[in-house]
């Protein structure tokens, strides 16, 4: 630290203390907890002996853990792919700057502004097997004869939750991609037009290559945000039926607060954290590589 700059560094101390207390301490405590054998009984007696990696081995044999990992991956990839593609198409649509573009863009943003718990309740109601509006509409146009068990059929319950999450995430992707599109140089498109390039050639030869840094940010942020999902799944299905929508965050909750196996729950949460940490490191590496290029 350079002499005479103590006053400047004082401004960052509150942020450092905040992060150490509210992020660093819970994180370290959770890691330690995952190496101990802690349940309701040991909490009462204070006997928190270390078992090291036994919790992680037990977690691998835990009923529903394997399917929760698979469901988390399917949920994340299914959500992110559709969110980015639809968000990109909407960003292209609103970049045409027609009369009602600003108003319609604001309407699309509503789904992102609604609290996630409210969205989950809305979709739970709309996907109800009896009076749900989804079934009513599909039966009204003759697309189906019998109601679809959106949330109670193990074969489609996960995709029902994915549909709800896609609806939530599209505006976020559209907003970031719209910002990226607005910063693309106009002279490149003018030159391409003079050379006779059509709309598709401009899209695949100019727009998408120039948007690569923004697309990378959108994909990585979407992956991180989606991979740690909890509230949407918990409210809509609670991880059921038959673990068909169980994800890493819900199994960590179930182990910790329903079965009171706190160390097993901490181990599941740490696996979730470790995967996101790896993705974040890859994201930072790619961002730095792009900035150096």
């Amino acid at each position: 630290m350079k002499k005479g700059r103590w006053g400047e560094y004082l401004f960052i101390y509150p942020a450092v203390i905040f992060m150490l207390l509210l992020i660093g301490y819970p994180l370290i405590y959770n890691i330690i907890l995952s190496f101990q054998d802690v349940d309701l009984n040991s909490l009462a007696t204070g006997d928190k002996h270390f078992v090291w990696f036994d919790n992680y081995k037990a977690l691998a044999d835990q009923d529903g853990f394997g399917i929760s990992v698979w469901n988390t991956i399917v949920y994340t990839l299914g959500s992110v792919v559709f969110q980015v593609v639809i968000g990109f198409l909407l960003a292209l649509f609103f970049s045409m700057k027609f009369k009602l573009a600003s108003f319609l863009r604001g309407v699309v943003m509503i789904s992102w502004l609604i609290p996630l718990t409210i969205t989950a309740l809305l979709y739970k109601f709309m996907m109800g097997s009896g009076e749900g509006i989804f079934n009513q509409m599909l039966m009204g146009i003759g697309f189906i004869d019998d109601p679809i068990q959106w949330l109670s059929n193990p074969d489609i319950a996960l995709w029902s939750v994915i549909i709800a999450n896609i609806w939530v995430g599209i505006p976020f992707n559209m907003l970031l991609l719209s910002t990226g599109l607005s910063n693309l140089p106009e002279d490149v498109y003018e030159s391409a037009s003079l050379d006779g390039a059509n709309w598709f050639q401009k899209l695949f030869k100019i727009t998408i290559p120039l948007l690569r840094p923004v697309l990378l940010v959108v994909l990585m942020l979407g992956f991180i945000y989606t991979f740690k999902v909890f509230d949407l799944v918990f409210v809509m299905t609670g991880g059921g039926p038959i673990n068909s929508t169980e994800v890493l965050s819900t199994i960590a909750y179930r182990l910790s607060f329903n079965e009171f196996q706190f160390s097993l729950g901490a181990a599941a949460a740490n696996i979730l954290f470790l995967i996101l940490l790896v993705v974040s490191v890859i994201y930072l590496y790619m961002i730095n590589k792009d900035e150096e290029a």
Side-chain angles (χ1 to χ4, degrees), residues 112-220:
W112 190 55
L113 299 175
I114 298 175
L116 207 51
T117 306
I118 303 299
T119 300
L121 289 172
L122 285 174
Y123 267 85
K124 189 175 183 178
F125 175 73
M126 290 192 298
M127 290 180 168
S129 57
E131 301 297 327
I133 191 172
F134 276 40
N135 281 331
Q136 294 297 324
M137 289 177 60
L138 293 174
M139 292 172 71
I141 61 176
F143 194 76
I144 58 174
D145 295 324
D146 300 314
I148 298 175
Q149 308 297 318
W150 294 97
L151 300 176
S152 56
N153 184 340
D155 294 329
I156 61 172
L158 181 62
W159 282 100
S160 300
V161 183
I162 290 174
I163 290 171
N165 191 53
I166 291 172
W167 186 75
V168 173
I170 285 173
F172 176 73
N173 289 265
M174 182 197 70
L175 192 65
L176 292 182
L177 292 170
S178 293
T179 305
L181 285 173
S182 65
N183 291 324
L184 296 183
E186 292 288 341
D187 54 342
V188 178
Y189 289 95
E190 293 173 359
S191 299
S193 298
L194 292 175
D195 291 337
N198 58 36
W199 186 85
F200 287 102
Q201 288 172 323
K202 292 178 185 176
L203 175 65
F204 290 104
K205 299 292 185 181
I206 298 175
T207 304
I208 293 178
L210 289 178
L211 265 184
R212 182 178 175 274
V214 180
L215 284 169
L216 182 64
V217 171
V218 170
L219 285 170
M220 287 297 177

Side-chain angles (χ1 to χ4, degrees), residues 19-283:
M19 292 185 67
L20 287 175
L21 288 178
L22 298 183
I23 298 177
Y25 173 74
L27 185 63
I28 294 172
Y29 180 81
N30 202 57
I31 293 173
I32 295 173
L33 184 62
S34 70
F35 290 130
Q36 296 176 322
D37 183 16
V38 179
D39 53 21
L40 278 181
N41 185 51
S42 57
L43 273 181
T45 60
D47 179 23
K48 302 178 183 178
H49 61 277
F50 280 86
V51 295
W52 302 109
F53 288 96
D54 285 356
N55 285 323
Y56 291 90
K57 295 176 184 175
L59 188 63
D61 298 327
Q62 187 74 25
D63 182 33
F65 177 72
I67 189 65
S68 74
V69 175
W70 174 250
N71 286 343
T72 306
I73 294 171
V74 172
Y75 176 86
T76 302
L77 295 181
S79 297
V80 171
V81 168
F82 284 102
Q83 287 174 351
V84 171
V85 171
I86 298 173
F88 181 60
L89 293 176
L90 284 174
L92 287 175
F93 176 68
F94 289 121
S95 68
M96 292 190 290
K97 299 175 182 176
F98 52 94
K99 189 175 181 180
L100 294 176
S102 298
F103 171 75
L104 293 176
R105 190 186 295 117
V107 172
V108 173
M109 291 299 298
I110 290 176
S111 64
W112 190 55
L113 299 175
I114 298 175
L116 207 51
T117 306
I118 303 299
T119 300
L121 289 172
L122 285 174
Y123 267 85
K124 189 175 183 178
F125 175 73
M126 290 192 298
M127 290 180 168
S129 57
E131 301 297 327
I133 191 172
F134 276 40
N135 281 331
Q136 294 297 324
M137 289 177 60
L138 293 174
M139 292 172 71
I141 61 176
F143 194 76
I144 58 174
D145 295 324
D146 300 314
I148 298 175
Q149 308 297 318
W150 294 97
L151 300 176
S152 56
N153 184 340
D155 294 329
I156 61 172
L158 181 62
W159 282 100
S160 300
V161 183
I162 290 174
I163 290 171
N165 191 53
I166 291 172
W167 186 75
V168 173
I170 285 173
F172 176 73
N173 289 265
M174 182 197 70
L175 192 65
L176 292 182
L177 292 170
S178 293
T179 305
L181 285 173
S182 65
N183 291 324
L184 296 183
E186 292 288 341
D187 54 342
V188 178
Y189 289 95
E190 293 173 359
S191 299
S193 298
L194 292 175
D195 291 337
N198 58 36
W199 186 85
F200 287 102
Q201 288 172 323
K202 292 178 185 176
L203 175 65
F204 290 104
K205 299 292 185 181
I206 298 175
T207 304
I208 293 178
L210 289 178
L211 265 184
R212 182 178 175 274
V214 180
L215 284 169
L216 182 64
V217 171
V218 170
L219 285 170
M220 287 297 177
L221 291 179
F223 185 93
I224 293 170
Y225 182 78
T226 308
F227 201 83
K228 61 184 180 62
V229 61
F230 173 75
D231 34 13
L232 193 67
V233 175
F234 187 75
V235 173
M236 288 186 70
T237 64
I242 322 174
N243 296 332
S244 60
T245 59
E246 193 86 273
V247 291
L248 278 170
S249 58
T250 57
I251 199 171
Y253 178 89
R254 176 167 62 83
L255 290 170
S256 296
F257 301 109
N258 289 349
E259 302 178 11
F260 305 110
Q261 302 181 70
F262 301 112
S263 293
L264 279 180
N270 285 336
I271 290 173
L272 178 62
F273 167 74
L274 187 62
I275 294 172
L276 291 177
L277 180 64
V278 171
V279 174
S280 300
V281 170
I282 294 173
Y283 165 69

